[in-house]
Amino acid sequence: MSTTSPEIETFIGKVINNFEIQELIGQGGMGIVLRAFHPELQSHAAIKIMRPELARQPGFYERFLQEARIAARLKHPNIANVFNFGAYDESYYLMMDYIEGPSMRQHLRENRNGLPLAEVLQIFVQIADVLDFSHKQGVYHRDLKPDNILLTNSIEPDVPFRAVITDFGLVKLVNNSILETQKGVSVGTPAYMSPEQCLGKEIDGRTDLYSVGVMIYEACTGQRPFPIRNLFDAVQAHRTGTPVSLKAMIPTTPVQLDNLVRRLMAVEINRRPATAGEVAHTLRALLQENQPSRSTYSVPISESFASPPPISEGAGTPPASGITEPYFIRVAYKDEWEPKTVPLGAQPLLVGRQAPADIILDKPHERYVSKRHCEILLRNNQVLLQDLQSMNGTFLGEMKLEPNKYYQWLPSVPARFGPFTLTLVDNRPATPSPVAVPEKSPAPLPAPPPLPLPHPSTSPSNNVRPSIGTTQVSVRHFLVCPEGIPNKIMIAAEPILIGRAPDCTMVLDGPRTSRHHCKVQRRGNLIEVIDLNSTNGTFLQNRRLPANSPTLWDGTSPLVVGSFAVALESEYGPGR
């Protein structure tokens, strides 16, 4: 948390509508946004408190109440839900859902060269859908910018983020509005404002679409189309400037997307798409065309498993030709080769931002790569790549890998990590192709067996220990997470509480982790997970667990808590 002013510090610990204020999470021209916690409900809320000098203006209460009513009636999965309104001290507040996750602004700062095309399309399909919904309700946002878009965990397996639009506090109801925009007065952020908005002219839904065009451009390239710092710069840019086209900036940009951004950013409002629904339709079609099929680049070896496939006899050993390692990995930064080549043999390679990673991807001001980003290994003469629940993802070509699944990595497809690229070099000797052998698909690699936890039907008593042969053994289960505090802990009689709060048994301090996120407990020789109504959910095999309901966990896949992966490990010893 950044240093806060003394005025803001006075809010910490105060209670509004049974929610205790914990910290500042944002501030702007209209006021501040605070995170608060309801101890009885064990839930968070975001509270937006308006600046007192605004609250003292004549008629402000009526205008603010109107805006609160408008925001509260917008019920959509991609809009932050407003559920309370009231007076506090010398001002007024809005209370809304607390969304755990970075803003799109933060995400762009961590990816200064732009986001992958598929990710851009996935995010802005959602934004266009939200605008289509709100515009049909007669509500325009008027201040769309990356700061007002939050990216939280998605419950859809093929969508990395759920984009949530916040701060509808500046919207105006089109019909029967108490507050009408005065002529000559502009509302918004200059870098994302449309020409008509900058000049204080009449606006409609196409004004929001102009902002969408600017944000798509910035998301793809990492920079805005115009270097705008204030309203004067914006007016001048609209009169005399022409941005470099998206395709000129990134030659691989689809022509349809380049044309769409041109239309969205048209100076004349009538040249833009007529509705947000039209934009959503175009983006969805582009996403379908540019979403790489798994067969194009790689195929998951198994649906999901926590341990690598077993090594077949002879797999990963040097070929008979005398070559020491069958594969090498080359590293490039911003398309320039680094003077290092890493051999891949029988031992897995860890890719990360710092030691003890085998391949370290780290440059000044680059924070795309996680400490433990992905793993590369050679099994059964196939090179496999697994994302280790990294923050920004691992890509094969344009395809973002699902975490904790092994994908075959072919030499023809680069692996990408933001500005870094890894290329697989096949160093095996060429072998003559067999003659008159019919084509046959390779047999899938076997998945590892599940942990030997007894089924309830085979465990008549909690005191019965599993046996191997005729020797009695005892089983001890451990939770393991490299970023956890502690990073390994045994599951004993008492449940293990996992969350961000210091009083948790295992602390996972991240923005997508709730204070008390979930708990893990024993039931005899079985292990159960219970989600504690967390904001972003607890996941097993891409399945969000139901809140406050025990779910059996056999350990074949990790427990995903926010941006962390927690593994279940078992140790066996002689019975006593």
Side-chain angles (χ1 to χ4, degrees):
M1 173 59 57
S2 60
T3 304
T4 56
S5 66
E7 294 78 10
I8 293 174
E9 289 290 349
T10 61
F11 285 102
I12 307 302
K14 298 296 178 63
V15 176
I16 298 179
N17 196 31
N18 295 325
F19 281 83
E20 180 182 347
I21 295 174
Q22 292 182 327
E23 63 177 339
L24 172 75
I25 57 177
Q27 54 186 323
M30 294 190 70
I32 60 174
V33 183
L34 304 159
R35 183 175 71 180
F37 180 68
H38 196 301
E40 285 76 23
L41 297 178
Q42 291 285 296
S43 63
H44 287 88
I47 302 177
K48 179 177 181 179
I49 300 179
M50 311 308 294
R51 288 165 46 196
E53 57 268 31
L54 291 176
R56 288 192 288 268
Q57 292 180 0
F60 179 83
Y61 173 79
E62 290 78 10
R63 298 195 301 269
F64 188 57
L65 177 59
Q66 177 72 8
E67 293 170 2
R69 287 172 175 168
I70 294 170
R73 83 182 195 192
L74 292 176
K75 302 297 183 183
H76 191 281
N78 298 92
I79 296 178
N81 178 46
V82 174
F83 59 85
N84 208 341
F85 164 87
Y88 179 77
D89 202 6
E90 298 180 351
S91 188
Y92 304 98
Y93 69 86
L94 282 177
M95 190 172 289
M96 62 196 78
D97 289 342
Y98 174 67
I99 308 298
E100 295 202 46
S103 68
M104 190 172 173
R105 171 73 66 213
Q106 293 169 300
H107 194 49
L108 290 175
R109 284 172 180 163
E110 294 175 355
N111 300 273
R112 295 186 180 275
N113 296 316
L115 307 178
L117 175 61
E119 189 170 300
V120 173
L121 296 174
Q122 287 168 335
I123 291 173
F124 282 95
V125 161
Q126 299 177 60
I127 293 172
D129 281 337
V130 171
L131 294 179
D132 186 45
F133 167 79
S134 68
H135 291 174
K136 288 177 179 177
Q137 305 294 313
V139 178
Y140 309 142
H141 192 287
R142 301 188 184 218
D143 193 24
L144 281 172
K145 53 187 176 182
D147 311 78
N148 289 336
I149 298 171
L150 299 179
L151 303 175
T152 189
N153 284 337
S154 171
I155 60 175
E156 300 180 38
D158 295 328
V159 180
F161 298 110
R162 177 167 65 97
V164 180
I165 296 182
T166 67
D167 201 358
F168 272 84
L170 295 177
V171 298
K172 308 294 182 290
L173 193 63
V174 174
N175 298 315
N176 302 319
S177 174
I178 292 177
L179 177 63
E180 299 290 345
T181 302
Q182 302 175 20
K183 288 187 177 181
V185 177
S186 61
V187 178
T189 303
Y192 303 92
M193 287 167 57
S194 67
E196 65 274 11
Q197 199 174 5
C198 290
L199 298 173
K201 295 182 178 179
E202 184 177 352
I203 64 101
D204 59 25
R206 291 170 292 182
T207 295
D208 284 342
L209 298 186
Y210 181 93
S211 304
V212 170
V214 176
M215 289 192 293
I216 292 177
Y217 190 104
E218 184 176 6
C220 289
T221 66
Q223 55 187 283
R224 298 171 189 167
F226 298 112
I228 293 174
R229 296 166 298 177
N230 50 47
L231 192 59
F232 176 80
D233 287 348
V235 173
Q236 289 298 109
H238 295 147
R239 286 176 177 172
T240 62
T242 301
V244 179
S245 72
L246 193 56
K247 194 164 183 62
M249 292 286 289
I250 305 177
T252 56
T253 300
V255 174
Q256 300 94 324
L257 182 61
D258 185 52
N259 291 337
L260 176 63
V261 171
R262 288 173 184 267
R263 293 179 60 206
L264 288 169
M265 292 183 57
V267 174
E268 296 83 7
I269 192 171
N270 292 328
R271 292 179 55 198
R272 296 177 208 151
T275 66
E278 178 185 339
V279 177
H281 176 77
T282 302
L283 291 172
R284 192 166 279 110
L286 276 167
L287 179 59
Q288 187 173 2
E289 294 173 4
N290 291 276
Q291 180 74 50
S293 64
R294 295 182 179 179
S295 59
T296 303
Y297 298 113
S298 59
V299 180
I301 301 303
S302 170
E303 253 321 287
S304 178
F305 46 88
S307 302
I311 303 177
S312 297
E313 185 176 354
T317 58
S321 64
I323 297 176
T324 306
E325 303 294 354
Y327 292 93
F328 288 90
I329 296 169
R330 299 186 65 189
V331 180
Y333 174 67
K334 292 186 176 179
D335 297 328
E336 293 186 7
W337 294 111
E338 297 282 321
K340 57 183 175 183
T341 304
V342 183
L344 173 63
Q347 297 302 316
L349 297 179
L350 176 64
V351 179
R353 193 173 66 242
Q354 62 189 41
D358 303 290
I359 301 177
I360 297 176
L361 305 179
D362 187 30
K363 293 288 183 181
H365 312 299
E366 295 286 2
R367 303 293 290 178
Y368 187 97
V369 178
S370 301
K371 294 179 181 177
R372 299 181 71 258
H373 200 102
C374 69
E375 182 186 57
I376 306 168
L377 68 160
L378 181 61
R379 292 294 183 266
N380 300 340
N381 293 319
Q382 290 182 325
V383 179
L384 307 180
L385 185 64
Q386 176 190 209
D387 181 86
L388 299 176
Q389 198 69 30
S390 64
M391 179 64 72
N392 293 308
T394 302
F395 292 79
L396 280 179
E398 292 291 330
M399 182 182 67
K400 185 173 184 178
L401 306 188
E402 295 183 29
N404 306 311
K405 292 185 180 180
Y406 288 95
Y407 289 76
Q408 184 180 0
W409 184 16
L410 303 177
S412 59
V413 182
R416 298 191 298 103
F417 314 82
F420 299 94
T421 303
L422 298 186
T423 301
L424 181 64
V425 179
D426 190 344
N427 198 39
R428 296 172 299 173
T431 56
S433 301
V435 180
V437 177
E439 294 183 1
K440 182 180 180 181
S441 300
L445 296 179
L451 288 176
L453 302 178
H455 191 274
S457 62
T458 63
S459 300
S461 168
N462 290 347
N463 297 321
V464 176
R465 299 188 181 99
S467 62
I468 299 177
T470 59
T471 304
Q472 294 293 318
V473 296
S474 61
V475 185
R476 295 189 303 170
H477 301 295
F478 295 85
L479 294 184
V480 179
C481 180
E483 298 87 358
I485 304 175
N487 56 24
K488 184 174 182 179
I489 187 170
M490 187 174 73
I491 307 173
E494 294 296 323
I496 293 179
L497 179 62
I498 301 175
R500 192 179 66 247
D503 61 340
C504 291
T505 320
M506 177 179 278
V507 178
L508 301 179
D509 190 7
R512 299 182 185 180
T513 308
S514 297
R515 286 180 58 82
H516 294 162
H517 199 104
C518 64
K519 66 180 180 180
V520 180
Q521 63 189 22
R522 294 185 66 121
R523 182 161 63 86
N525 286 315
L526 302 177
I527 302 299
E528 294 179 334
V529 181
I530 302 176
D531 178 82
L532 300 177
N533 200 27
S534 63
T535 301
N536 289 306
T538 306
F539 292 80
L540 278 175
Q541 290 186 325
N542 294 323
R543 179 174 67 92
R544 184 168 184 164
L545 304 186
N548 302 313
S549 179
T551 301
L552 289 179
W553 182 22
D554 64 5
T556 56
S557 60
L559 186 71
V560 179
V561 179
S563 59
F564 301 93
V566 181
L568 178 63
E569 293 185 359
S570 299
E571 293 182 2
Y572 299 86
R576 291 179 294 176

